[in-house]
Amino acid sequence: TDESSKYLFAGMIMCQMQLATTNSLLAYQFITDEEGFARISSPEAKKEIGIPENYTPIQQLRVGYPENRVDSRETHTLSSLMERFN
């Protein structure tokens, strides 16, 4: 695939991961700094994580428990969400 497709597919996967994380009442944080990518791009780290040698990480999502306990999340209607964009 071409370079732009890699980022499109990675973005689609990250979106699904965000939704699954939120649904599980967990927290997530994007790792976007160069240092974070350097850590997971080394051959040793890729082997430890299980990333194939011929793959290059382009996005990273840290998942864990939020600082404050979340028992439920506020639900929104479509119209209340759309108001944010007006």
Side-chain angles (χ1 to χ4, degrees):
T1 61
D2 65 12
E3 194 68 22
S4 62
S5 293
K6 292 178 187 178
Y7 289 96
L8 172 65
F9 294 134
M12 291 168 34
I13 292 166
M14 293 295 279
C15 180
Q16 292 300 312
M17 290 172 59
Q18 286 176 273
L19 290 171
T21 300
T22 301
N23 189 51
S24 299
L25 300 178
L26 295 172
Y28 62 85
Q29 175 187 25
F30 284 104
I31 308 299
T32 57
D33 63 336
E34 291 293 322
E35 185 179 323
F37 284 114
R39 270 187 256 128
I40 65 169
S41 295
S42 72
E44 298 82 19
K46 288 168 66 171
K47 184 176 182 179
E48 183 178 335
I49 298 169
I51 299 173
E53 288 182 23
N54 61 334
Y55 280 50
T56 302
I58 58 174
Q59 290 186 325
Q60 184 180 359
L61 188 71
R62 181 180 296 151
V63 176
Y65 293 98
E67 188 173 318
N68 299 316
R69 183 179 165 93
V70 179
D71 292 320
S72 64
R73 298 208 188 263
E74 180 183 350
T75 58
H76 298 278
T77 63
L78 180 58
S79 59
S80 71
L81 292 172
M82 292 307 292
E83 287 175 12
R84 296 179 183 184
F85 297 100
N86 292 331

